[in-house]
Amino acid sequence: MMIPQDMLEAVSPAKTHPATTTHGTLPFPTVTPDIPKVYHQYSTEAGHKTLWVVCVLMGVTSLVFYAMAMRVPVQKRLFHIITASITTFAFLSYYAMATGSGISIHTTVTKTAELGIVTEVVKRQIFWARYVDWALTTPLLLVDLALLAGLNGASILVLVLSDLIMVLTGMFAAFSHDEGQGWGWYAFACIAFLNIIYQLGYKGRYAVATKDNKTRTFFGAISLFTLVLWTLYPIIWGVADGARIINVDGEIIAYAVLDLLAKPVFGLWLLLTHDSMARTSPSVEGFWAHGLSSEGTLRVGDGHDED
């Protein structure tokens, strides 16, 4: 909702002061214009309810994923733990936003006059907890896909670093005080996203080519699903925090739909398919499944002191 500052101050008397007078003239009031004009963009009850609904759904989904993890051997739980962590972090993020803890008010200069005088600014709610969520969950989501495809460690590292650059530059864009600076950060985020598409779409498909037909088909479908969804995020940012075409409630609802598709729906699809491919899915042994072995561990009291 965009509320001009002058509407907020409509109930207040106009600021006046007597003009300088000379002998023989009457004093007259002059009106001091409100410069800069301030527009407020805040969420309403609809946005607040949406945050709570998504918070509950993320929490319930996390419990479902943890329950699914308990039904498979520990050697097969890697995808379950990663995926459950994704929705758990999202639950915490939405709880922070729904309770008002993950929100700040950011001021952006939108119009200036001659000599650099600021004539119009926008004060808009920025949900910084969402960027914390993305910085934690999107790398885990990419690790899910990278392990499914069988990407090598170098490619996984580049993939995760590109993702972190994308999220951080997106956050810098949201908190920029100048529109030009914000769009510059936005461009950097889009470049990082293009590298994610390359790593996952090209190298991922090349790596999964050595696997069985069912795994190849599944990776192609779920990676395409993910990349299409992720392409919508910068579009929403551009018309919300960027150009401020849609209001804060519209931003909340749009991101909520994408988050539900990209996390709970993605996770449920991944885990159900993974469990159905139990014979061909990767099994993690060693420390993950058995902890430290007896060889090489420190023991207290087993040795004998020599006199």
Side-chain angles (χ1 to χ4, degrees):
M1 177 179 293
M2 180 179 287
I3 308 174
Q5 180 72 21
D6 51 5
M7 290 181 61
L8 295 176
E9 298 176 353
V11 295
S12 303
K15 292 181 278 188
T16 63
H17 58 80
T20 304
T21 60
T22 58
H23 182 71
T25 61
L26 296 176
F28 60 92
T30 59
V31 179
T32 302
D34 292 324
I35 297 178
K37 181 177 289 186
V38 182
Y39 291 93
H40 297 267
Q41 298 181 354
Y42 301 141
S43 62
T44 64
E45 189 67 19
H48 188 243
K49 288 181 178 179
T50 301
L51 293 173
W52 275 115
V53 169
V54 179
C55 176
V56 172
L57 291 176
M58 291 293 185
V60 171
T61 306
S62 299
L63 295 177
V64 171
F65 290 165
Y66 286 121
M68 293 176 67
M70 298 301 295
R71 298 178 60 185
V72 298
V74 66
Q75 293 89 343
K76 301 284 186 178
R77 289 181 190 171
L78 179 59
F79 285 108
H80 297 76
I81 299 301
I82 293 175
T83 306
S85 299
I86 292 171
T87 51
T88 300
F89 286 131
F91 161 75
L92 296 174
S93 168
Y94 270 92
Y95 181 80
M97 291 187 287
T99 57
S101 302
I103 307 172
S104 64
I105 306 300
H106 180 64
T107 302
T108 305
V109 176
T110 56
K111 188 178 294 185
T112 57
E114 295 181 358
L115 303 177
I117 299 175
V118 177
T119 59
E120 184 177 290
V121 299
V122 173
K123 291 182 178 290
R124 184 183 176 98
Q125 284 180 317
I126 299 294
F127 296 84
W128 59 263
R130 178 175 288 126
Y131 294 94
V132 176
D133 170 17
W134 291 340
L136 294 171
T137 59
T138 53
L140 291 175
L141 197 150
L142 290 175
V143 169
D144 263 344
L145 293 173
L147 293 176
L148 179 65
L151 276 174
N152 57 51
S155 295
I156 294 176
L157 179 61
V158 171
L159 191 64
V160 170
L161 290 178
S162 297
D163 179 72
L164 290 175
I165 291 173
M166 178 184 69
V167 174
L168 291 177
T169 51
M171 183 180 68
F172 296 154
F175 282 97
S176 296
H177 293 284
D178 178 80
E179 284 190 314
Q181 182 187 65
W183 287 113
W185 284 118
Y186 176 80
F188 295 147
C190 290
I191 293 172
F193 179 56
L194 291 177
N195 188 51
I196 292 174
I197 295 175
Y198 169 74
Q199 295 292 332
L200 199 60
Y202 177 74
K203 289 193 173 182
R205 291 181 68 85
Y206 181 79
V208 81
T210 60
K211 295 183 176 290
D212 61 279
N213 185 60
K214 188 172 183 179
T215 302
R216 291 197 303 270
T217 302
F218 175 54
F219 174 78
I222 198 169
S223 61
L224 179 62
F225 171 79
T226 301
L227 291 177
V228 169
L229 286 178
W230 282 29
T231 302
L232 298 177
Y233 279 93
I235 295 175
I236 293 175
W237 192 98
V239 297
D241 284 327
R244 292 174 294 279
I245 296 174
I246 63 174
N247 58 27
V248 178
D249 284 341
E251 172 191 343
I252 291 173
I253 294 171
Y255 280 136
V257 172
L258 289 182
D259 283 344
L260 289 174
L261 291 173
K263 292 167 185 175
V265 173
F266 166 88
L268 192 62
W269 185 12
L270 175 68
L271 296 184
L272 288 177
T273 306
H274 172 270
D275 291 347
S276 69
M277 299 189 305
R279 293 183 178 180
T280 58
S281 60
S283 179
V284 183
E285 301 287 345
F287 173 74
W288 171 269
H290 308 292
L292 291 174
S293 63
S294 59
E295 297 180 1
T297 58
L298 295 176
R299 297 185 181 183
V300 179
D302 288 348
H304 298 283
D305 294 334
E306 295 182 0
D307 294 336

